[in-house]
Amino acid sequence: MRSEDIQTNFGPAGSEFYITQPAPCPYLHGRTERKIFSFLDGSDASAVNGVLTRRGFRRSQNIIYVPACDTCQACVPVRVVASEFELSKSRRRIVKRNADISRTERPARATTEQYSVLRGYLDARHAEGGMADMTVLDYAAMVEETAVDTKIIEYRAPDPETGEPRLIACALTDHLADGLSMVYSFFDPDADARSLGVYMILDHVRAAQEAGLDYVYLGYWVAGSAKMDYKIRFQPLEKLTENGWRRWEPKAA
């Protein structure tokens, strides 16, 4: 539904924005959500994606959106300040633990091998979530339906039995002018001891530093959602406020 109330100062001139009908919130039980969204297409899609990401939007395929809930502001855009990030002792241990992992950046093309890892991840970690019924075709759409500069990062480790490289994690990542935006990541739940979720963020911070980029965008931290608390442990961190991006050091970090 086109909203007559939306101010078009969200994005570049000419962008058209819409608003969804209320739907159950995927993060907070008993609440509803609405989203303002626009479509990404054309030769300027990557530039628009960058502008809107810096204004708190997130991308899903060729749609870019931001929460627009009437009575709730629990979703807070956050980004790691990669240019100032330093590894703590515990994070060094995680990096060392995963020293046998190889990293390959590939074009945004889905494979059955990636989907197999995703399927195991969803079944083990998000069996009741909104993506629980994702098919291989749904996964292909998530990865491949994009008009922006995006890659899928594959992480492989030696198979314990054969010694051959085995896919254990993936991250769908947008390249922006000022940083990397982690759109979605998943990993083999049987590799719990590796802390792969943390490792992939650390790897993206390292990649941003090597490329001279300032930030790694992590999407939304959601107040009241325990599964989002991991994001605020990556300091230094910034959150988007009505006065722009501000340094944030919450007590839970």
Side-chain angles (χ1 to χ4, degrees):
M1 178 180 68
R2 181 72 183 274
S3 172
E4 297 177 356
D5 301 325
I6 297 173
Q7 300 297 314
T8 56
N9 60 357
F10 281 110
S15 298
E16 292 188 352
F17 292 88
Y18 306 84
I19 191 165
T20 64
Q21 295 283 5
C25 176
Y27 302 111
L28 301 175
H29 179 71
R31 299 194 190 183
T32 59
E33 68 165 2
R34 301 183 82 183
K35 293 187 177 84
I36 290 171
F37 69 96
S38 187
F39 295 97
L40 292 167
D41 56 21
S43 60
D44 63 346
S46 285
V48 172
N49 184 41
V51 169
L52 292 179
T53 298
R54 288 188 289 277
R55 295 182 184 181
F57 282 67
R58 290 293 283 170
R59 184 181 71 81
S60 177
Q61 297 170 238
N62 284 325
I63 292 174
I64 193 158
Y65 65 89
V66 68
C69 307
D70 295 331
T71 59
C72 178
Q73 295 182 332
C75 293
V76 180
V78 293
R79 65 186 186 185
V80 182
V81 185
S83 56
E84 300 177 25
F85 189 88
E86 296 181 359
L87 287 174
S88 64
K89 289 183 179 179
S90 62
R91 299 286 163 75
R92 287 194 191 99
R93 287 195 292 269
I94 292 174
V95 171
K96 184 176 180 180
R97 192 183 308 152
N98 292 289
D100 59 341
I101 286 181
S102 62
R103 176 190 197 276
T104 306
E105 185 174 292
R106 299 188 181 280
R109 295 290 182 270
T111 68
T112 54
E113 186 182 27
Q114 294 165 8
Y115 177 73
S116 179
V117 176
L118 173 68
R119 191 67 265 161
Y121 172 77
L122 293 175
D123 291 344
R125 297 296 186 94
H126 301 285
E128 305 300 323
M131 297 174 65
D133 296 328
M134 178 174 277
T135 67
V136 67
L137 293 179
D138 295 329
Y139 173 68
M142 181 179 79
V143 173
E144 298 179 6
E145 290 185 10
T146 175
V148 307
D149 183 5
T150 188
K151 299 291 189 295
I152 188 155
I153 317 299
E154 293 186 343
Y155 298 89
R156 296 178 184 273
D159 186 280
E161 296 182 0
T162 68
E164 294 298 315
R166 178 175 66 91
L167 185 68
I168 60 170
C170 294
L172 185 64
T173 303
D174 288 353
H175 289 241
L176 310 176
D178 65 344
L180 302 175
S181 176
M182 298 184 71
V183 177
Y184 191 75
S185 59
F186 54 93
F187 54 86
D188 182 351
D190 293 334
D192 247 0
R194 287 182 175 271
S195 302
L196 288 170
V198 173
Y199 176 75
M200 283 190 282
I201 295 176
L202 296 178
D203 179 71
H204 277 67
V205 170
R206 177 198 58 77
Q209 291 173 336
E210 291 180 352
L213 301 173
D214 291 328
Y215 306 108
V216 173
Y217 290 84
L218 299 182
Y220 302 117
W221 172 77
V222 183
S225 176
K227 65 182 180 181
M228 290 294 180
D229 279 349
Y230 73 92
K231 296 182 180 183
I232 60 178
R233 300 189 183 103
F234 289 87
Q235 299 289 331
L237 191 75
E238 292 183 348
K239 68 174 181 177
L240 185 60
T241 73
E242 61 183 10
N243 296 313
W245 290 96
R246 294 290 184 269
R247 190 63 59 94
W248 190 35
E249 298 180 4
K251 292 181 181 180

